[in-house]
Amino acid sequence: MTGPTLSSEYGSPDALRVRMATHDNYSERREDPTAAVLKALRLNGEETLADIGCGDGRFLAHLLERGHRGRIVGLDTSPGMVATVSRIPGAAAIVGDAEQLPFATAEFDRTTARHMLYHVPDPLRALHEFRRITKPGGAVVVAINLTESYARTQAVILERARAYGLAPIGELAFTVGPRTLPGLLRQVFPYTRIERFDDALVFDTPAPLIDFAEAMFSFCGIAADSPHRAAILEQITEDFEAWFAANPGQRWRDPKGFLIATAPVPG
Ligand SMILES: C[S@@+](CC[C@H](N)C(=O)[O-])C[C@H]1O[C@@H](n2cnc3c(N)ncnc32)[C@H](O)[C@@H]1O
């Protein structure tokens, strides 16, 4: 048995996809991080763009669907994610680390890092790399989730995990948040605009909440091969079903949100 790790969590896109589908279907205000990143990027369709921590390549696919003509490339530490991207017609991605990017200085007009900076052990080093690979006159756009997102749902999982001696591990903790991101960016870029988007997940029934909670297990210290996983899943299922039974007509509401930071690279 091994604990959850960054590479086990992102070895395949499955859990990430459950979380993304939950955001698509159960967000209260439907604040759209992809739309917010696109607005910040101010693209004309010809730019070269690197998407760092590209995951399953959904952002690259979105750009291709919009008819983007410039070269776009994804990069991710997970070979499983990169293999998933390679199945998207027209998309390309490589395995690599944000702290040491295998790209030339000023290779791209835009660099994006969406929901990944908190996974990098040295985020400052990654930000220096993002600036290095971006052309003067270009821009770096970073999106992160608010640290306190889904705290209510996580509290239910964490309490059950704790009873088995399980706890979140450092490399899956959200180390970069609203309090730390501005200071990090200031050390690398002369000017940054940060926008905050507040939203919430809302559920009328327990089933999608339970699916989302299970997709959060790694972040609560529960590995895919934990001998306690099935018991914890059973217990949180009972917890959430009991809550809906005790609160008829009410919705489970869990605040969440994200920040979009736009950092122009001086020309
Ligand atoms: C939450 S997912 C976000 C994926 C994608 N950007 C999105 O928004 O759908 C985080 C991704 O960052 C990747 N990642 C984690 N640490 C990384 C690093 N040091 N360098 C590059 N990618 C990394 C993970 O493998 C994972 O695919």
Side-chain angles (χ1 to χ4, degrees):
M1 188 198 74
T2 51
T5 60
L6 202 55
S7 47
S8 67
E9 168 57 21
Y10 293 116
S12 97
D14 297 347
L16 177 64
R17 283 180 169 169
V18 172
R19 295 196 297 274
M20 298 308 293
T22 307
H23 289 296
D24 288 346
N25 295 321
Y26 298 95
S27 289
E28 187 169 58
R29 299 182 54 179
R30 299 195 177 272
E31 293 288 7
D32 180 355
T34 304
V37 167
L38 281 171
K39 191 167 168 226
L41 285 168
R42 301 161 76 102
L43 298 173
N44 63 26
E46 302 294 340
E47 298 84 355
T48 51
L49 180 147
D51 187 34
I52 311 302
C54 61
D56 67 359
R58 64 187 55 227
F59 187 56
L60 302 175
H62 191 78
L63 288 172
L64 289 167
E65 275 162 26
R66 283 165 48 102
H68 193 89
R69 296 168 297 284
R71 173 179 165 242
I72 54 177
V73 55
L75 175 139
D76 203 287
T77 38
S78 161
M81 291 295 188
V82 168
T84 305
V85 178
S86 69
R87 290 192 282 276
I88 301 171
I94 56 171
V95 175
D97 191 329
E99 289 186 22
Q100 205 172 357
L101 292 171
F103 298 126
T105 297
E107 186 167 338
F108 297 98
D109 297 303
R110 303 282 190 278
T111 299
T112 49
R114 304 166 58 251
H115 315 288
M116 64 80 63
L117 196 60
Y118 25 61
H119 293 321
V120 181
D122 188 344
L124 188 58
R125 191 166 165 196
L127 288 173
H128 278 293
E129 279 292 85
F130 300 166
R131 177 170 176 167
R132 180 186 67 76
I133 67 164
T134 309
K135 286 179 188 159
V140 174
V141 175
V142 172
I144 61 163
N145 293 330
L146 298 181
T147 320
E148 62 273 24
S149 293
Y150 347 113
R152 187 182 182 195
T153 304
Q154 285 198 73
V156 173
I157 312 166
L158 288 169
E159 192 183 330
R160 292 299 187 179
R162 202 176 301 122
Y164 294 92
L166 302 175
I169 61 150
E171 67 182 62
L172 282 167
F174 290 89
T175 47
V176 178
R179 257 183 257 139
T180 48
L181 185 65
L184 286 167
L185 288 163
R186 260 197 307 274
Q187 294 178 64
V188 183
F189 300 95
Y191 165 76
T192 312
R193 189 181 70 245
I194 298 184
E195 290 168 277
R196 178 179 169 130
F197 298 80
D198 284 283
D199 203 338
L201 288 175
V202 281
F203 301 94
D204 294 321
T205 58
L209 170 58
I210 294 160
D211 288 345
F212 178 72
E214 189 182 6
M216 292 294 294
F217 269 16
S218 290
F219 298 93
C220 300
I222 309 159
D225 59 355
S226 166
H228 308 302
R229 188 181 177 94
I232 296 170
L233 181 57
E234 206 171 299
Q235 287 165 353
I236 62 147
T237 299
E238 283 169 16
D239 290 338
F240 289 127
E241 284 176 347
W243 187 89
F244 278 94
N247 296 279
Q250 287 192 42
R251 301 184 309 168
W252 180 271
R253 183 177 186 279
D254 203 354
K256 64 161 185 167
F258 59 90
L259 298 183
I260 304 289
T262 311
V265 175

